[in-house]
Amino acid sequence: MADIFISGHKNPDMDSICSAYCYSILKNEIDQVNRYIPIRCGHLNKQTRLVFEKLNLKAPRLMKNISPVVADVAKRNIPTLDMNDPLFSAIRRLDEENLSVIPVFEEETEFRGIISLHEISVFLINDNLIKRPVYHFRINNFKIVVPGYFYRRGKEQEFDAPIMTGAMPYEISKERINQMLPLKPLLVIGLREDILQFAVKEQFPAIILTGMSRDEEIPINFSNYQGTVFISHSDTAETIRLLRLSTPLKNVMNRNPQSLRSDQSFDEAKTILVNSRLRGLPVFEDDQFSGIVTRRCFIEKPQKRLILVDHNETDQSVPGAEQTEILEILDHHRLGNSRTKEPIYVYARPVGSTCTIVFSHFRMNLVDINSETATLLVSGILSDTVLLKSPTTTNLDRNAVKELLTIANLELESFGQELFSQNSSLDEMEPVEVLKADFKIYREQLNVGISQAEVITLEDIEKMKEKYLNSMEALRKNKNLDWVLLLVTNVIKEESCLLVTKMDEAESKLIYDKISDQLYTLPGILSRKKQLLPEILRVLEELKLKQKD
């Protein structure tokens, strides 16, 4: 089952959030093959939060960037090993399952490190560089690695010791052993009674007997011996080779490997791994191990799949949208210049709200709408059409609202007042947040940014003018724009004011009445798209023609 994300535009309003959420409900109902996930690329405004909280629903999750990340390529269903498992088990798993790296845990829950051919090579090379290697043995691993059985188990479950074999005459063997003291060896030997008795007397940590027939008795008294006796079915040389591979992984593994975050970018993670000596790295999400990535994971860059609602241009979408495969577009705005590699489903209609379009798709697909979905859809429509008062409102919007109010058992006037009661005054809001909340950039002859804020009163606009104009000018410079405008709308009284950054030539062509410097009154203007934008585009066109002259 593939994941397909549905997203509204940046700085999402009610229509953007609700249309994404409700369209995911429809798509999951009619398409059982894929999983449709609504997302948002900005914070919820007060109106939107009110409706989702009222319905006790979880709003679409915030996704700040949809570019490929480590989580998209990380391997999760991977074999793991315990830190006490023998090195032999790691070598066998790496070989048989063609793995690059295996995560190592303690008691299946606590990540402790990784094991790969790199760590194994370092262990085996160091083993041959030093004079006489000392190994860490865990007696439980003897049975796992060496064919044979325990004759008796000693008290010490783990110990450090060199490996010694009893091939030399007794006196020479004894002399060599004494040279190792106080470190006592693990003895690998055939049935040599003299050396065995010496090993028992000196309390060697373990004795591995080789070359014995299965029923052969051992003529040694082990009653006072505290170490382990293991009978190996392999010859001495093979037993020694396997014993080296019984070393617990905790003594071989990389305990502090460089790690990656699950939300780390694909390209950044690829660079980190390529520039390391390792063949794979662990991945963590919120400090919890979540998988492994190997070099093979970065051969091909993954591409998420995305449906755009309430917008149709990638520069208005979630960051990284240009790297996705866009499957569908549902929108009620003018069409931009976005391009796709393949033909896609596009449904664009000049209605007041994308939620109206989503509603029509429920009806087109004969899918019933429940009360919760109806509430979300009608909220999106009423918000975007300003209680059906906006000039963008069509009969399709009105008919959808009528039907949805019935399903949701809501009354237009009271529910509408509840929605718009969430609006504040300019004095109660931070200018930066107001400007970011519903900001759209239009790239025509000039680059123009227009934001809109819905308020409960316009009486404080003169008092707050300078504060907002300062923030608008900072935003203009930051976004490298030519002109920034803020449409401040009192929905209830159906009137607006327009604040603009300094641009005398453009201002002189505006048809609106001027209240004061950089401030205009717009009675009856509610819609940025339908009423304000055409006037701004006209002004820009006149400026263009004047430049040609």
Side-chain angles (χ1 to χ4, degrees), residues 49 83 90 97 106 150 205 256-257 262 264 273 332 358 393 424 432 446 478 503:
R49 188 179 295 110
M83 62 188 294
E97 301 182 41
E106 181 178 5
F150 285 103
N256 298 295
S262 61
Q264 207 159 349
L273 183 53
H332 67 127
V358 174
T393 307
S424 304
V432 173
L446 298 173
N478 180 260
M503 193 176 183

Side-chain angles (χ1 to χ4, degrees), residues 79-141:
T80 62
L81 292 168
D82 187 85
M83 62 188 294
N84 288 314
D85 286 340
L87 179 59
F88 179 83
S89 296
I91 295 173
R92 184 171 58 190
R93 295 291 289 274
L94 288 167
D95 177 58
E96 291 178 355
E97 301 182 41
N98 192 28
L99 301 172
S100 299
V101 61
I102 301 177
V104 181
F105 286 78
E106 181 178 5
E107 296 180 354
E108 299 184 354
T109 57
E110 296 296 323
F111 175 81
R112 289 292 180 255
I114 59 172
I115 188 73
S116 68
L117 292 179
H118 175 75
E119 289 76 32
I120 295 170
S121 299
V122 170
F123 171 78
L124 295 176
I125 290 171
N126 289 339
D127 185 7
N128 290 292
L129 288 178
I130 58 179
K131 188 174 182 180
R132 179 187 286 273
V134 175
Y135 300 96
H136 185 83
F137 292 105
R138 179 179 172 86
I139 64 171
N140 283 343
N141 288 352

Side-chain angles (χ1 to χ4, degrees), residues 123-309:
F123 171 78
L124 295 176
I125 290 171
N126 289 339
D127 185 7
N128 290 292
L129 288 178
I130 58 179
K131 188 174 182 180
R132 179 187 286 273
V134 175
Y135 300 96
H136 185 83
F137 292 105
R138 179 179 172 86
I139 64 171
N140 283 343
N141 288 352
F142 292 173
K143 186 74 169 64
I144 299 173
V145 176
V146 182
Y149 61 93
F150 285 103
Y151 184 79
R152 65 179 290 135
R153 297 177 70 102
K155 293 181 179 179
E156 211 170 1
Q157 299 301 304
E158 296 187 27
F159 55 88
D160 293 322
I163 297 176
M164 180 80 180
T165 184
M168 296 175 289
Y170 173 72
E171 290 300 330
I172 297 177
S173 295
K174 183 177 176 182
E175 180 183 344
R176 296 288 178 85
I177 292 170
N178 284 332
Q179 289 175 358
M180 297 181 199
L181 296 177
L183 196 62
K184 298 176 182 179
L186 177 149
L187 182 64
V188 182
I189 192 171
L191 202 54
R192 295 273 307 271
E193 291 188 38
D194 49 358
I195 297 179
L196 280 172
Q197 287 174 347
F198 177 75
V200 169
K201 177 184 175 184
E202 295 297 326
Q203 294 294 331
F204 285 12
I207 298 170
I208 312 296
L209 290 171
T210 63
M212 294 182 57
S213 61
R214 293 185 180 274
D215 298 326
E216 187 174 358
E217 291 191 13
I218 303 175
I220 301 294
N221 181 7
F222 289 109
S223 58
N224 293 321
Y225 180 56
Q226 297 180 7
T228 293
V229 179
F230 186 84
I231 310 298
S232 170
H233 295 326
S234 298
D235 59 46
T236 300
E238 178 66 3
T239 298
I240 291 174
R241 183 185 75 84
L242 293 174
L243 281 171
R244 295 165 63 201
L245 300 182
S246 74
T247 303
L249 291 179
K250 61 188 176 186
N251 294 91
V252 183
M253 67 186 186
N254 184 344
R255 289 178 173 268
N256 298 295
Q258 186 170 11
S259 62
L260 299 171
R261 303 186 316 275
S262 61
D263 61 351
Q264 207 159 349
S265 79
F266 177 92
D267 293 330
E268 181 185 3
K270 180 178 180 179
T271 300
I272 291 172
L273 183 53
V274 167
N275 290 331
S276 77
R277 298 175 300 168
L278 304 176
R279 296 183 60 83
L281 294 174
V283 179
F284 288 83
E285 183 172 351
D286 298 329
D287 297 326
Q288 292 294 316
F289 175 84
S290 63
I292 285 285
V293 290
T294 65
R295 292 172 183 258
R296 287 190 291 254
C297 295
F298 295 97
I299 293 175
E300 186 175 342
K301 195 171 188 177
Q303 192 177 41
K304 292 188 175 80
R305 299 202 285 173
L306 180 65
I307 294 174
L308 307 183
V309 296

